[in-house]
Amino acid sequence: SGVPTTAVFVSSAVSGTDEGSHTFSAQSIGTAATGRFVVVGVVTRAASARTIASVTVGGIALAQMTKFDNTATTLAFWGGYVPTGTTADIAVALTSSTWVRVAIAVWAVTGLRSTTPFGTGSDTTMVTGVMSTTCNIPAAGIALALIYAGTVNTWTWVGLTKGADDSIESSSPGYASDSFVQAQTARTVSATGS
């Protein structure tokens, strides 16, 4: 009952500069609204996994919602309520050291009932060009996804709607999401690189 949660993919950006912090200027964050929750997906690559110290949107500090490390790659979702503005500077900083590349993806979420993820899923091994996982999604819920791999140009998604592909040097992060009216049990989400 009530207003369903919806997630709209609005923008993405990349940087291949070796640094420990970066500000992505004037990024789209969607339509201003009371209760708008902005989610920033962050992908970093370095010699080893990195700890993200902070993410801000227009000076508003977000909170880390979930994080996944795989050797030299870190993927994380950060979120917070940002009710005003349609664009904002988005700043990402590490606790120490530097990355060799970083990407962000931005979603505008409305109708959010909890800032705690219902569940998470991951895959670290690409088999014949495919990475796949399963996830449980509550009724009127949303699912957001990040992916990262080298030597991939584009991603084809099954189970979620593609937001965008990006390219940083020889690597390609990708992003996808969907909103669901009905609950999903063990929904398969996969991405095929080409």
Side-chain angles (χ1 to χ4, degrees), residues 5-12 27-30 35-42 55-57 62-66 76-82 90 104-110 112 114-115 117 142-146 175-177:
T5 304
T6 60
V8 177
F9 175 81
V10 288
S11 63
S12 65
Q27 296 299 301
S28 176
I29 58 172
R36 179 184 60 183
F37 191 83
V38 173
V39 176
V40 177
V42 181
V55 179
T56 62
V57 175
L62 307 189
Q64 183 172 282
M65 303 171 71
T66 186
F77 287 104
W78 289 64
Y81 288 99
V82 185
I90 298 178
I104 61 166
V106 183
W107 287 268
V109 179
T110 56
L112 192 67
S114 173
T115 60
I142 60 174
L144 310 178
L146 302 170
Y175 329 106
S177 61

Side-chain angles (χ1 to χ4, degrees), residues 157-175:
W157 291 85
V158 174
L160 294 177
T161 299
K162 179 176 180 172
D165 294 322
D166 276 325
S167 177
I168 320 172
E169 298 169 345
S170 61
S171 303
S172 298
Y175 329 106

Side-chain angles (χ1 to χ4, degrees), residues 15 44 60 65 71 73 77 80 111 117 130 170:
S15 173
T44 69
I60 297 174
M65 303 171 71
T71 312
T73 303
F77 287 104
V130 181
S170 61

